[in-house]
Amino acid sequence: MVVSGDMRIFKSPHLKQIWIESKLTTFFLTKGWMHQKFWDQAWWLVRWWPEIMQQAQIVEPGTGYEVPAKSHGKFRILNPSPERSRSDLRA
């Protein structure tokens, strides 16, 4: 499992292909995370951690999610390939 603030992994065709082949479940922190002070980011990550761990255990390996930059909400699934067509999953 990976937690990353680098959405280039998902947006760059080359990096996206590497990510898909790795089958690493990845939680991408949305742009709003990067505008927060370090300690606010740490607090939000600690707040989200139980949900991140729970989601990582129940999904197909290689699934990607956006984690909202707030203390509540839902993960947004990222479809790395056409065969993955699910939308939102649990928060």
Side-chain angles (χ1 to χ4, degrees):
M1 179 185 67
V2 174
V3 176
S4 176
D6 188 357
M7 283 298 293
R8 292 176 299 176
I9 295 167
F10 184 76
K11 294 180 179 179
S12 161
H14 176 71
L15 295 176
K16 187 176 184 177
Q17 186 61 37
I18 293 169
W19 169 55
I20 290 168
E21 291 173 5
S22 77
K23 296 195 183 295
L24 287 169
T25 299
T26 305
F27 293 84
F28 293 99
L29 307 177
T30 59
K31 187 170 30 175
W33 284 79
M34 303 309 124
H35 294 89
Q36 299 301 318
K37 294 178 183 173
F38 173 80
W39 292 113
D40 291 333
Q41 286 180 1
W43 181 85
W44 280 357
L45 191 56
V46 168
R47 160 49 190 95
W48 275 106
W49 196 252
E51 288 86 358
I52 288 171
M53 291 300 296
Q54 182 179 23
Q55 193 70 21
Q57 292 173 2
I58 64 172
V59 299
E60 173 184 337
T63 304
Y65 297 95
E66 280 188 342
V67 180
K70 50 188 171 185
S71 62
H72 61 282
K74 292 184 177 185
F75 298 130
R76 186 173 77 85
I77 194 165
L78 300 172
N79 296 322
S81 58
E83 64 269 11
R84 291 195 185 152
S85 60
R86 295 173 286 170
S87 57
D88 280 349
L89 290 180
R90 62 181 292 329

Coordinates of all heavy atoms in Angstrom, one line a residue:
M1 N 0.8 -1.2 0.0 CA 0.0 0.0 0.0 C 0.9 1.2 0.0 O 1.9 1.3 0.7 CB -0.9 0.0 1.2 CG -1.8 1.2 1.3 SD -2.8 1.4 2.8 CE -1.6 1.7 4.0
V2 N 0.4 2.3 -0.7 CA 1.2 3.5 -0.8 C 0.2 4.7 -0.5 O -0.9 4.6 -0.9 CB 1.7 3.7 -2.3 CG1 2.4 5.0 -2.4 CG2 2.7 2.6 -2.6
V3 N 0.7 5.7 0.2 CA 0.0 6.9 0.4 C 0.9 8.0 -0.3 O 2.1 8.1 0.1 CB -0.2 7.2 1.9 CG1 -0.9 8.6 2.0 CG2 -1.1 6.2 2.5
S4 N 0.4 8.7 -1.2 CA 1.2 9.7 -2.0 C 0.5 11.0 -2.2 O -0.7 11.0 -2.4 CB 1.6 9.1 -3.3 OG 2.4 10.0 -4.1
G5 N 1.2 12.0 -2.3 CA 0.6 13.3 -2.7 C 1.0 13.7 -4.1 O 0.7 14.7 -4.6
D6 N 1.6 12.7 -4.8 CA 2.1 12.9 -6.2 C 1.1 12.4 -7.2 O 1.2 11.2 -7.6 CB 3.4 12.3 -6.4 CG 4.1 12.6 -7.7 OD1 3.4 13.4 -8.5 OD2 5.2 12.2 -7.9
M7 N 0.1 13.2 -7.6 CA -0.9 12.7 -8.6 C -0.3 12.5 -10.0 O -1.0 12.0 -10.8 CB -2.0 13.8 -8.7 CG -3.0 13.7 -7.5 SD -3.8 12.1 -7.3 CE -4.9 12.1 -8.8
R8 N 1.0 12.9 -10.2 CA 1.6 12.6 -11.5 C 1.6 11.1 -11.8 O 1.6 10.7 -12.9 CB 3.0 13.2 -11.6 CG 3.0 14.8 -11.6 CD 4.4 15.3 -11.6 NE 5.1 14.8 -10.3 CZ 6.3 15.1 -10.0 NH1 7.1 15.7 -10.8 NH2 6.8 14.6 -8.9
I9 N 1.7 10.4 -10.7 CA 1.7 8.9 -10.8 C 0.5 8.4 -11.6 O 0.5 7.5 -12.4 CB 1.8 8.2 -9.5 CG1 3.1 8.5 -8.8 CG2 1.6 6.7 -9.6 CD1 3.2 8.2 -7.3
F10 N -0.6 9.1 -11.3 CA -1.9 8.7 -11.9 C -2.1 9.4 -13.3 O -2.7 8.8 -14.2 CB -3.1 9.0 -11.0 CG -4.4 8.6 -11.6 CD1 -4.7 7.2 -11.6 CD2 -5.3 9.5 -12.1 CE1 -5.9 6.8 -12.1 CE2 -6.5 9.0 -12.7 CZ -6.8 7.7 -12.7
K11 N -1.6 10.6 -13.5 CA -1.8 11.3 -14.7 C -0.8 11.1 -15.8 O -1.2 11.2 -17.0 CB -1.9 12.8 -14.3 CG -3.1 13.1 -13.4 CD -3.2 14.6 -13.0 CE -4.4 14.8 -12.2 NZ -4.6 16.1 -11.7
S12 N 0.4 10.8 -15.5 CA 1.4 10.5 -16.5 C 1.2 9.1 -17.1 O 1.2 8.1 -16.3 CB 2.8 10.7 -15.9 OG 3.8 10.0 -16.7
P13 N 1.0 9.0 -18.4 CA 0.8 7.6 -19.0 C 1.9 6.6 -18.6 O 1.7 5.5 -18.3 CB 0.8 7.9 -20.5 CG 0.3 9.3 -20.6 CD 0.9 10.0 -19.4
H14 N 3.2 7.1 -18.6 CA 4.3 6.2 -18.3 C 4.3 5.8 -16.8 O 4.4 4.6 -16.5 CB 5.6 6.9 -18.6 CG 6.8 6.1 -18.2 ND1 7.2 5.0 -18.9 CD2 7.7 6.3 -17.2 CE1 8.3 4.5 -18.3 NE2 8.7 5.3 -17.3
L15 N 4.1 6.8 -15.9 CA 4.1 6.4 -14.5 C 2.8 5.6 -14.1 O 2.9 4.7 -13.3 CB 4.1 7.7 -13.7 CG 5.4 8.5 -13.8 CD1 5.3 9.8 -13.0 CD2 6.6 7.7 -13.3
K16 N 1.7 5.9 -14.8 CA 0.5 5.2 -14.5 C 0.6 3.8 -14.9 O 0.2 2.9 -14.2 CB -0.6 5.9 -15.3 CG -2.0 5.3 -15.1 CD -3.0 6.1 -15.8 CE -4.4 5.7 -15.6 NZ -5.4 6.5 -16.3
Q17 N 1.3 3.5 -16.0 CA 1.5 2.1 -16.4 C 2.4 1.3 -15.4 O 2.1 0.2 -15.1 CB 2.2 2.0 -17.8 CG 2.3 0.6 -18.4 CD 0.9 0.0 -18.6 OE1 -0.1 0.6 -18.9 NE2 0.8 -1.3 -18.3
I18 N 3.4 2.0 -14.9 CA 4.2 1.4 -13.9 C 3.4 1.1 -12.7 O 3.5 0.0 -12.1 CB 5.5 2.3 -13.6 CG1 6.4 2.3 -14.8 CG2 6.2 1.8 -12.3 CD1 7.5 3.4 -14.7
W19 N 2.6 2.0 -12.3 CA 1.7 1.9 -11.1 C 0.8 0.7 -11.3 O 0.6 -0.2 -10.4 CB 1.0 3.1 -10.8 CG -0.1 3.0 -9.7 CD1 0.0 2.5 -8.5 CD2 -1.5 3.3 -9.9 NE1 -1.2 2.5 -7.8 CE2 -2.1 3.0 -8.7 CE3 -2.2 3.8 -10.9 CZ2 -3.5 3.2 -8.5 CZ3 -3.6 4.0 -10.7 CH2 -4.2 3.7 -9.5
I20 N 0.1 0.6 -12.4 CA -0.8 -0.5 -12.7 C -0.1 -1.8 -12.6 O -0.6 -2.7 -12.0 CB -1.5 -0.3 -14.1 CG1 -2.4 0.9 -14.0 CG2 -2.2 -1.5 -14.5 CD1 -2.9 1.4 -15.4
E21 N 1.0 -1.9 -13.2 CA 1.8 -3.2 -13.2 C 2.2 -3.6 -11.8 O 2.4 -4.7 -11.5 CB 3.0 -3.1 -14.2 CG 2.5 -3.0 -15.6 CD 3.7 -2.8 -16.6 OE1 4.8 -2.7 -16.2 OE2 3.4 -2.6 -17.8
S22 N 2.5 -2.6 -11.0 CA 2.9 -2.9 -9.6 C 1.8 -3.5 -8.7 O 2.1 -4.2 -7.7 CB 3.4 -1.6 -8.9 OG 2.3 -0.8 -8.5
K23 N 0.6 -3.2 -9.1 CA -0.6 -3.7 -8.3 C -0.6 -3.2 -6.9 O -1.1 -3.9 -6.0 CB -0.7 -5.2 -8.4 CG -1.0 -5.7 -9.8 CD -1.4 -7.2 -9.7 CE -1.6 -7.7 -11.1 NZ -2.7 -7.1 -11.9
L24 N 0.0 -2.0 -6.7 CA 0.0 -1.5 -5.3 C -1.2 -0.6 -5.1 O -1.6 0.2 -5.9 CB 1.2 -0.5 -5.1 CG 2.6 -1.2 -5.0 CD1 3.7 -0.2 -5.1 CD2 2.7 -2.0 -3.7
T25 N -2.0 -0.9 -4.1 CA -3.1 -0.1 -3.7 C -2.6 1.2 -3.3 O -1.7 1.3 -2.4 CB -3.9 -0.8 -2.6 OG1 -4.4 -2.1 -3.1 CG2 -5.1 0.1 -2.2
T26 N -3.1 2.3 -3.8 CA -2.5 3.6 -3.6 C -3.6 4.6 -3.2 O -4.7 4.7 -3.8 CB -1.8 4.1 -4.8 OG1 -0.8 3.2 -5.2 CG2 -1.1 5.4 -4.5
F27 N -3.3 5.4 -2.2 CA -4.2 6.4 -1.7 C -3.5 7.8 -2.0 O -2.5 8.1 -1.4 CB -4.5 6.3 -0.2 CG -5.3 5.1 0.1 CD1 -4.7 3.8 0.2 CD2 -6.7 5.1 0.2 CE1 -5.4 2.7 0.5 CE2 -7.4 4.0 0.5 CZ -6.8 2.8 0.6
F28 N -4.1 8.5 -3.0 CA -3.5 9.8 -3.4 C -4.1 10.9 -2.6 O -5.4 11.0 -2.6 CB -3.7 10.0 -4.9 CG -3.0 9.0 -5.8 CD1 -3.6 7.9 -6.3 CD2 -1.7 9.3 -6.1 CE1 -3.0 7.1 -7.2 CE2 -1.0 8.4 -6.9 CZ -1.6 7.3 -7.4
L29 N -3.3 11.7 -2.0 CA -3.8 12.9 -1.3 C -4.1 14.0 -2.3 O -3.3 14.3 -3.1 CB -2.7 13.3 -0.3 CG -2.2 12.3 0.7 CD1 -1.1 12.9 1.6 CD2 -3.3 11.6 1.5
T30 N -5.3 14.5 -2.2 CA -5.8 15.5 -3.1 C -4.9 16.8 -3.0 O -4.2 17.0 -2.0 CB -7.3 15.8 -3.0 OG1 -7.5 16.3 -1.7 CG2 -8.1 14.6 -3.3
K31 N -5.1 17.7 -4.0 CA -4.3 18.9 -4.0 C -4.4 19.7 -2.7 O -3.4 20.3 -2.3 CB -4.7 19.7 -5.2 CG -3.9 20.9 -5.4 CD -4.1 21.7 -6.7 CE -5.5 21.6 -7.3 NZ -5.7 22.4 -8.5
G32 N -5.6 19.7 -2.1 CA -5.8 20.5 -0.9 C -4.8 20.1 0.3 O -4.5 20.9 1.1
W33 N -4.4 18.9 0.3 CA -3.4 18.4 1.3 C -2.1 19.2 1.2 O -1.5 19.5 2.3 CB -3.1 16.9 1.2 CG -4.2 16.0 1.6 CD1 -5.3 15.7 1.0 CD2 -4.2 15.3 2.8 NE1 -6.0 14.7 1.7 CE2 -5.4 14.5 2.8 CE3 -3.3 15.2 3.9 CZ2 -5.7 13.6 3.9 CZ3 -3.6 14.3 4.9 CH2 -4.8 13.5 4.9
M34 N -1.7 19.5 0.0 CA -0.4 20.1 -0.2 C -0.4 21.6 0.2 O 0.7 22.2 0.4 CB 0.0 20.0 -1.6 CG 0.1 18.6 -2.1 SD 1.0 17.5 -1.1 CE -0.2 16.2 -0.8
H35 N -1.6 22.2 0.5 CA -1.7 23.6 0.9 C -1.8 23.7 2.4 O -1.9 24.8 2.9 CB -2.9 24.2 0.2 CG -2.8 24.3 -1.3 ND1 -3.2 23.3 -2.1 CD2 -2.3 25.3 -2.1 CE1 -2.9 23.6 -3.3 NE2 -2.4 24.8 -3.3
Q36 N -1.7 22.6 3.1 CA -1.8 22.6 4.6 C -0.4 22.6 5.2 O 0.5 22.1 4.6 CB -2.6 21.4 5.0 CG -4.0 21.4 4.5 CD -4.8 22.6 4.9 OE1 -4.7 23.1 6.0 NE2 -5.6 23.1 4.0
K37 N -0.4 23.2 6.4 CA 0.9 23.1 7.2 C 1.2 21.6 7.5 O 0.2 20.8 7.6 CB 0.7 23.9 8.4 CG 0.6 25.4 8.1 CD 0.4 26.2 9.4 CE 0.2 27.7 9.1 NZ -0.1 28.5 10.2
F38 N 2.4 21.4 7.8 CA 2.8 20.0 8.1 C 2.0 19.3 9.2 O 1.5 18.2 9.0 CB 4.3 20.0 8.5 CG 4.8 18.6 9.0 CD1 5.1 17.6 8.0 CD2 4.9 18.3 10.3 CE1 5.5 16.4 8.5 CE2 5.3 17.1 10.8 CZ 5.6 16.1 9.8
W39 N 1.8 20.0 10.3 CA 1.1 19.4 11.4 C -0.4 19.2 11.1 O -1.0 18.2 11.6 CB 1.3 20.2 12.7 CG 2.7 20.1 13.2 CD1 3.6 21.1 13.2 CD2 3.4 18.9 13.6 NE1 4.8 20.6 13.7 CE2 4.7 19.2 13.9 CE3 3.0 17.6 13.8 CZ2 5.6 18.3 14.4 CZ3 3.9 16.6 14.2 CH2 5.2 17.0 14.5
D40 N -1.0 20.0 10.3 CA -2.4 19.8 9.8 C -2.4 18.6 8.9 O -3.4 17.8 9.0 CB -2.9 21.0 9.1 CG -3.1 22.2 10.0 OD1 -3.3 22.0 11.3 OD2 -3.0 23.4 9.6
Q41 N -1.5 18.4 8.0 CA -1.4 17.2 7.2 C -1.3 16.0 8.1 O -2.0 15.0 7.8 CB -0.2 17.3 6.3 CG -0.3 18.2 5.1 CD 0.9 18.2 4.2 OE1 1.9 17.5 4.5 NE2 0.9 19.0 3.2
A42 N -0.4 16.1 9.1 CA -0.2 14.9 10.0 C -1.5 14.6 10.7 O -1.9 13.4 10.8 CB 0.9 15.2 11.0
W43 N -2.2 15.6 11.2 CA -3.5 15.3 11.9 C -4.5 14.7 11.0 O -5.2 13.7 11.3 CB -4.1 16.7 12.4 CG -5.3 16.4 13.2 CD1 -5.5 16.1 14.5 CD2 -6.6 16.5 12.7 NE1 -6.8 16.0 14.8 CE2 -7.5 16.2 13.7 CE3 -7.2 16.8 11.4 CZ2 -8.9 16.2 13.5 CZ3 -8.5 16.8 11.2 CH2 -9.4 16.5 12.3
W44 N -4.6 15.2 9.7 CA -5.6 14.6 8.8 C -5.2 13.2 8.4 O -6.1 12.4 8.3 CB -5.7 15.5 7.5 CG -6.5 16.7 7.6 CD1 -7.2 17.1 8.7 CD2 -6.7 17.7 6.6 NE1 -7.8 18.3 8.4 CE2 -7.5 18.7 7.2 CE3 -6.2 17.8 5.3 CZ2 -7.9 19.8 6.4 CZ3 -6.6 18.9 4.6 CH2 -7.4 19.9 5.2
L45 N -3.9 12.9 8.3 CA -3.5 11.6 7.9 C -3.8 10.6 9.1 O -4.3 9.5 8.8 CB -2.0 11.5 7.6 CG -1.5 10.2 6.9 CD1 -2.3 9.9 5.7 CD2 -0.1 10.4 6.6
V46 N -3.6 11.0 10.3 CA -3.9 10.2 11.5 C -5.4 10.0 11.5 O -5.9 8.9 11.8 CB -3.4 10.8 12.8 CG1 -3.9 10.1 14.0 CG2 -1.8 10.8 12.8
R47 N -6.2 11.0 11.2 CA -7.6 10.9 11.2 C -8.1 9.9 10.2 O -9.0 9.1 10.4 CB -8.2 12.3 11.0 CG -9.6 12.4 10.5 CD -10.7 11.6 11.2 NE -12.0 11.7 10.5 CZ -12.4 10.8 9.7 NH1 -11.7 9.8 9.3 NH2 -13.6 10.8 9.2
W48 N -7.5 10.0 9.0 CA -7.9 9.1 7.9 C -7.4 7.7 8.0 O -7.8 6.7 7.3 CB -7.5 9.7 6.5 CG -8.5 10.7 6.0 CD1 -8.3 12.0 6.0 CD2 -9.7 10.4 5.4 NE1 -9.4 12.6 5.4 CE2 -10.3 11.6 5.0 CE3 -10.4 9.2 5.1 CZ2 -11.5 11.7 4.4 CZ3 -11.7 9.3 4.5 CH2 -12.2 10.6 4.2
W49 N -6.3 7.5 8.8 CA -5.6 6.2 8.8 C -6.4 5.0 9.0 O -6.3 4.0 8.2 CB -4.4 6.2 9.7 CG -3.4 5.1 9.4 CD1 -3.2 4.0 10.2 CD2 -2.6 5.0 8.3 NE1 -2.3 3.2 9.6 CE2 -1.9 3.8 8.4 CE3 -2.4 5.8 7.2 CZ2 -1.0 3.4 7.4 CZ3 -1.5 5.4 6.2 CH2 -0.8 4.2 6.4
P50 N -7.3 4.9 10.0 CA -8.2 3.7 10.1 C -9.0 3.4 8.9 O -9.1 2.2 8.5 CB -9.1 4.1 11.3 CG -8.3 5.1 12.1 CD -7.6 5.9 11.0
E51 N -9.5 4.4 8.2 CA -10.3 4.2 7.0 C -9.4 3.7 5.8 O -9.8 2.8 5.1 CB -11.1 5.4 6.6 CG -12.3 5.7 7.5 CD -11.9 6.5 8.7 OE1 -10.7 6.8 8.9 OE2 -12.8 6.8 9.5
I52 N -8.2 4.3 5.8 CA -7.3 3.9 4.7 C -6.9 2.4 4.9 O -7.0 1.6 3.9 CB -6.0 4.8 4.7 CG1 -6.4 6.2 4.2 CG2 -4.9 4.1 3.9 CD1 -5.3 7.2 4.4
M53 N -6.6 2.0 6.1 CA -6.2 0.6 6.4 C -7.4 -0.3 6.1 O -7.2 -1.4 5.5 CB -5.7 0.5 7.8 CG -4.4 1.2 8.1 SD -3.1 0.5 7.1 CE -3.0 -1.2 7.6
Q54 N -8.6 0.0 6.5 CA -9.7 -0.8 6.3 C -10.0 -1.0 4.8 O -10.2 -2.1 4.3 CB -10.9 -0.3 7.0 CG -12.2 -1.1 6.9 CD -13.4 -0.6 7.6 OE1 -13.4 0.6 7.9 NE2 -14.3 -1.4 8.0
Q55 N -10.0 0.1 4.1 CA -10.2 0.0 2.6 C -9.2 -0.8 1.9 O -9.5 -1.6 1.0 CB -10.3 1.5 2.1 CG -10.9 1.5 0.7 CD -12.3 1.2 0.7 OE1 -13.1 1.3 1.6 NE2 -12.8 0.8 -0.5
A56 N -7.9 -0.6 2.3 CA -6.8 -1.3 1.7 C -7.0 -2.8 1.8 O -6.5 -3.6 1.0 CB -5.5 -0.9 2.3
Q57 N -7.6 -3.3 2.9 CA -7.7 -4.7 3.2 C -8.8 -5.3 2.4 O -8.8 -6.6 2.2 CB -7.9 -4.9 4.7 CG -6.7 -4.6 5.5 CD -6.9 -4.7 7.0 OE1 -8.0 -5.0 7.4 NE2 -5.9 -4.3 7.8
I58 N -9.8 -4.6 1.9 CA -11.0 -5.2 1.3 C -11.0 -5.0 -0.2 O -11.9 -5.5 -0.9 CB -12.3 -4.6 1.9 CG1 -12.4 -3.1 1.7 CG2 -12.4 -5.0 3.4 CD1 -13.8 -2.6 2.1
V59 N -10.1 -4.3 -0.8 CA -10.1 -4.0 -2.2 C -9.2 -4.8 -3.0 O -8.2 -5.4 -2.5 CB -9.9 -2.5 -2.5 CG1 -10.9 -1.6 -1.9 CG2 -8.5 -2.1 -2.2
E60 N -9.4 -4.9 -4.3 CA -8.6 -5.6 -5.3 C -7.2 -4.8 -5.3 O -7.1 -3.6 -5.3 CB -9.2 -5.5 -6.6 CG -8.5 -6.0 -7.8 CD -9.2 -5.7 -9.1 OE1 -10.4 -5.6 -9.1 OE2 -8.5 -5.7 -10.1
P61 N -6.1 -5.6 -5.2 CA -4.8 -5.0 -5.3 C -4.6 -4.1 -6.5 O -5.1 -4.4 -7.6 CB -3.8 -6.2 -5.3 CG -4.6 -7.3 -4.7 CD -6.0 -7.1 -5.1
G62 N -4.0 -3.0 -6.4 CA -3.8 -2.1 -7.5 C -4.8 -1.0 -7.6 O -4.8 -0.1 -8.5
T63 N -5.8 -1.0 -6.7 CA -6.8 0.0 -6.7 C -6.3 1.4 -6.3 O -5.4 1.4 -5.4 CB -8.0 -0.4 -5.9 OG1 -8.5 -1.7 -6.3 CG2 -9.2 0.6 -5.9
G64 N -6.8 2.5 -6.8 CA -6.3 3.8 -6.4 C -7.5 4.6 -5.9 O -8.6 4.5 -6.4
Y65 N -7.2 5.5 -5.0 CA -8.2 6.4 -4.4 C -7.6 7.8 -4.2 O -6.4 7.9 -4.0 CB -8.6 5.9 -3.0 CG -9.3 4.5 -3.0 CD1 -8.6 3.4 -2.8 CD2 -10.7 4.4 -3.3 CE1 -9.2 2.2 -2.8 CE2 -11.3 3.2 -3.3 CZ -10.5 2.1 -3.1 OH -11.1 0.8 -3.1
E66 N -8.5 8.7 -4.3 CA -8.2 10.1 -3.8 C -8.7 10.2 -2.4 O -9.9 9.8 -2.1 CB -8.9 11.1 -4.7 CG -8.2 11.4 -6.0 CD -8.7 12.6 -6.7 OE1 -9.9 13.0 -6.4 OE2 -8.1 13.1 -7.6
V67 N -7.9 10.8 -1.5 CA -8.3 11.0 -0.2 C -8.6 12.5 0.0 O -7.7 13.3 -0.3 CB -7.2 10.6 0.8 CG1 -7.7 10.9 2.3 CG2 -6.8 9.2 0.6
P68 N -9.8 12.9 0.3 CA -10.2 14.3 0.4 C -9.4 15.1 1.4 O -9.0 14.5 2.4 CB -11.7 14.3 0.7 CG -12.0 13.0 1.2 CD -11.0 12.0 0.7
A69 N -9.2 16.3 1.1 CA -8.4 17.2 2.0 C -9.3 17.8 3.1 O -9.5 19.0 3.2 CB -7.7 18.3 1.3
K70 N -10.0 16.9 3.8 CA -10.8 17.4 4.9 C -10.9 16.2 5.9 O -10.6 15.1 5.5 CB -12.2 17.8 4.4 CG -12.9 16.9 3.5 CD -14.2 17.5 2.9 CE -14.7 16.6 1.8 NZ -15.8 17.2 1.2
S71 N -11.5 16.4 7.0 CA -11.5 15.3 8.0 C -12.7 14.4 7.9 O -12.8 13.5 8.7 CB -11.5 16.0 9.4 OG -12.7 16.7 9.6
H72 N -13.5 14.6 6.8 CA -14.6 13.7 6.6 C -14.8 13.6 5.1 O -14.1 14.2 4.3 CB -15.9 14.3 7.3 CG -16.2 15.6 6.7 ND1 -15.6 16.7 7.1 CD2 -17.1 16.0 5.8 CE1 -16.1 17.8 6.4 NE2 -17.0 17.3 5.6
G73 N -15.7 12.7 4.7 CA -16.0 12.6 3.3 C -15.8 11.2 2.8 O -15.8 10.2 3.6
K74 N -15.7 11.0 1.5 CA -15.5 9.7 0.9 C -14.3 9.6 0.1 O -13.9 10.6 -0.5 CB -16.7 9.3 0.0 CG -18.0 9.1 0.8 CD -19.1 8.7 -0.2 CE -20.4 8.4 0.5 NZ -21.4 7.9 -0.4
F75 N -13.7 8.4 0.0 CA -12.6 8.2 -1.0 C -13.3 8.3 -2.4 O -14.4 7.9 -2.5 CB -12.0 6.8 -0.8 CG -11.3 6.6 0.5 CD1 -11.6 5.5 1.2 CD2 -10.4 7.5 1.0 CE1 -11.0 5.2 2.4 CE2 -9.7 7.2 2.2 CZ -10.1 6.1 2.9
R76 N -12.5 8.8 -3.3 CA -13.0 8.7 -4.7 C -12.1 7.7 -5.4 O -10.8 7.8 -5.4 CB -12.9 10.0 -5.4 CG -13.5 10.0 -6.8 CD -13.6 11.4 -7.4 NE -12.3 11.9 -7.9 CZ -11.8 11.6 -9.1 NH1 -12.4 10.8 -9.9 NH2 -10.6 12.1 -9.5
I77 N -12.7 6.7 -6.0 CA -11.9 5.7 -6.7 C -11.4 6.2 -8.0 O -12.0 7.0 -8.7 CB -12.7 4.4 -6.9 CG1 -11.8 3.2 -7.3 CG2 -13.8 4.6 -7.9 CD1 -12.4 1.9 -7.2
L78 N -10.1 5.9 -8.3 CA -9.5 6.3 -9.5 C -9.5 5.0 -10.4 O -9.0 4.0 -10.0 CB -8.1 6.8 -9.3 CG -8.0 8.0 -8.4 CD1 -6.6 8.3 -8.0 CD2 -8.7 9.2 -9.0
N79 N -9.9 5.2 -11.6 CA -10.0 4.0 -12.5 C -8.7 4.0 -13.4 O -8.7 4.8 -14.4 CB -11.2 4.1 -13.4 CG -12.5 4.0 -12.6 OD1 -12.6 3.3 -11.7 ND2 -13.5 4.8 -13.0
P80 N -7.7 3.2 -13.0 CA -6.5 3.2 -13.8 C -6.7 2.6 -15.2 O -5.9 2.8 -16.1 CB -5.6 2.4 -13.0 CG -6.4 1.5 -12.1 CD -7.7 2.3 -11.9
S81 N -7.7 1.7 -15.4 CA -7.9 1.1 -16.6 C -9.4 1.0 -16.9 O -10.2 1.0 -15.9 CB -7.2 -0.3 -16.7 OG -7.7 -1.1 -15.6
P82 N -9.9 0.8 -18.1 CA -11.3 0.7 -18.4 C -12.0 -0.4 -17.7 O -13.2 -0.2 -17.4 CB -11.3 0.5 -19.9 CG -10.0 0.9 -20.4 CD -9.0 0.7 -19.3
E83 N -11.4 -1.5 -17.4 CA -12.1 -2.6 -16.8 C -12.5 -2.3 -15.3 O -13.4 -2.9 -14.8 CB -11.4 -3.9 -16.8 CG -10.1 -3.9 -16.0 CD -8.9 -3.5 -16.9 OE1 -9.0 -3.0 -18.0 OE2 -7.7 -3.7 -16.4
R84 N -11.9 -1.3 -14.7 CA -12.4 -0.8 -13.4 C -13.3 0.3 -13.5 O -12.9 1.4 -13.8 CB -11.2 -0.4 -12.6 CG -10.3 -1.6 -12.3 CD -9.3 -1.2 -11.2 NE -8.4 -2.3 -11.0 CZ -7.2 -2.1 -10.5 NH1 -6.7 -1.0 -10.2 NH2 -6.4 -3.2 -10.4
S85 N -14.6 0.0 -13.3 CA -15.6 1.1 -13.5 C -16.4 1.4 -12.3 O -17.5 2.0 -12.4 CB -16.5 0.7 -14.7 OG -17.2 -0.6 -14.3
R86 N -16.0 1.0 -11.1 CA -16.7 1.3 -9.9 C -16.6 2.8 -9.6 O -15.6 3.4 -10.0 CB -16.2 0.5 -8.7 CG -16.4 -1.0 -8.9 CD -15.8 -1.7 -7.8 NE -14.4 -1.7 -8.1 CZ -13.4 -2.2 -7.2 NH1 -13.8 -2.6 -6.1 NH2 -12.2 -2.2 -7.5
S87 N -17.6 3.4 -8.9 CA -17.4 4.8 -8.6 C -17.0 4.9 -7.1 O -16.1 4.3 -6.7 CB -18.7 5.5 -8.9 OG -19.8 4.9 -8.2
D88 N -17.7 5.7 -6.3 CA -17.3 5.9 -4.9 C -17.5 4.7 -4.1 O -18.4 3.9 -4.3 CB -18.2 7.0 -4.3 CG -17.7 8.4 -4.7 OD1 -16.7 8.5 -5.2 OD2 -18.5 9.3 -4.4
L89 N -16.6 4.5 -3.2 CA -16.7 3.4 -2.2 C -16.8 4.1 -0.8 O -16.8 5.3 -0.7 CB -15.5 2.5 -2.2 CG -15.4 1.6 -3.5 CD1 -14.2 0.7 -3.4 CD2 -16.7 0.7 -3.6
R90 N -16.9 3.3 0.2 CA -17.1 3.8 1.5 C -16.1 4.9 2.0 O -15.1 5.0 1.5 CB -17.2 2.6 2.5 CG -15.8 1.9 2.6 CD -15.8 0.7 3.5 NE -15.9 0.9 4.9 CZ -15.5 1.8 5.7 NH1 -15.0 2.9 5.3 NH2 -15.6 1.8 7.0
A91 N -16.5 5.6 3.0 CA -15.7 6.6 3.5 C -14.9 6.1 4.7 O -15.2 5.1 5.2 CB -16.5 7.8 4.0

